[in-house]
Amino acid sequence: MSNNAKLIRKIVTAGAMLAIIIIMQVLKNYIPTEASGSIINAVLAIVTINLGIWWGLGFCVVTPVMSILIAFASPMTTLTIATYGLNIPIIALGNFIFVFLAKLGHDLYIKYKDNKFWLWTVIFILLIASGAVAKFLFMWGSAKWIIEPIFKVEGPSLRILENLFSITQLVAGVISVPIIYISTLPIDKINHK
């Protein structure tokens, strides 16, 4: 495949993934955060795995910004206003921690799957799950030790912060693990013929 064809394929894939994220951002006002968050996590990981770490980083940064622009009635927008936007880089970094570990797991899986397939499949799944836990811990710690004390968050904003930066992140991350694994199987067959 020529370089131009590869670039066009990447741009089309990125556009399709961005469309899914936009749909999930719109639906944030109508469906549970765990549902929309798990799909968004999966899309971020799939973009990183299939298009590369720089594309993934770009999506990790753009997604929380899009959230406040598209889902302006969501609790996350309320939190963004209360923290003067500090939650945006924290979310972006949390997303990147998650997708980095998913990409690492996938790269190891692709490299070694012909040698002990089941072992590398389990390692891939465990690294995705580790990414979900690491993102949760990072975001929870950031809320507890950075956002809350700096901005003296209280009342409804504190409840939103505690909800969105705690167990909600963990649940969304865990739900996204099988989605990411199952989604990568057919893509790997196309990419690694």
Side-chain angles (χ1 to χ4, degrees), residues 25 28-29 33 67-68 70-80 160 164:
Q25 299 290 9
K28 264 186 178 180
N29 296 324
T33 304
S67 175
I68 62 168
I70 295 171
F72 49 85
S74 76
M76 189 60 78
T77 303
T78 304
L79 183 61
T80 302
I160 292 169
L164 293 178

Side-chain angles (χ1 to χ4, degrees), residues 3-170:
N3 285 340
N4 285 341
K6 285 180 184 177
L7 179 61
I8 290 169
R9 193 174 118 228
K10 283 186 174 189
I11 291 170
V12 169
T13 302
M17 297 293 109
L18 192 58
I20 293 169
I21 288 176
I22 290 170
I23 291 167
M24 288 297 105
Q25 299 290 9
V26 170
L27 292 176
K28 264 186 178 180
N29 296 324
Y30 308 104
I31 63 175
T33 304
E34 294 85 357
S36 62
S38 62
I39 300 297
I40 291 169
N41 280 342
V43 168
L44 292 174
I46 291 165
V47 164
T48 307
I49 287 167
N50 292 293
L51 301 181
I53 202 79
W54 292 110
W55 284 87
L57 178 60
F59 269 70
C60 288
V61 171
V62 166
T63 301
V65 173
M66 285 176 43
S67 175
I68 62 168
L69 297 175
I70 295 171
F72 49 85
S74 76
M76 189 60 78
T77 303
T78 304
L79 183 61
T80 302
I81 292 166
T83 65
Y84 302 99
L86 179 65
N87 64 317
I88 292 174
I90 289 172
I91 295 166
L93 189 52
N95 286 340
F96 189 71
I97 291 167
F98 177 70
V99 301
F100 177 80
L101 288 170
K103 172 89 170 126
L104 175 64
H106 182 264
D107 288 353
L108 291 170
Y109 166 77
I110 290 299
K111 186 173 182 177
Y112 298 112
K113 71 177 180 172
D114 294 335
N115 196 15
K116 299 185 180 177
F117 173 80
W118 289 107
L119 172 66
W120 290 104
T121 300
V122 169
I123 289 171
F124 177 29
I125 292 168
L126 287 175
L127 278 167
I128 301 169
S130 297
V133 171
K135 177 183 177 181
F136 153 70
L137 291 172
F138 172 76
M139 291 184 69
W140 173 79
S142 296
K144 196 79 177 150
W145 294 305
I146 297 173
I147 295 175
E148 199 175 317
I150 289 175
F151 294 102
K152 310 284 188 260
V153 180
E154 53 189 29
S157 293
L158 179 59
R159 285 189 291 284
I160 292 169
L161 177 67
E162 289 172 345
N163 180 39
L164 293 178
F165 278 51
S166 64
I167 202 71
T168 302
Q169 290 298 323
L170 184 60

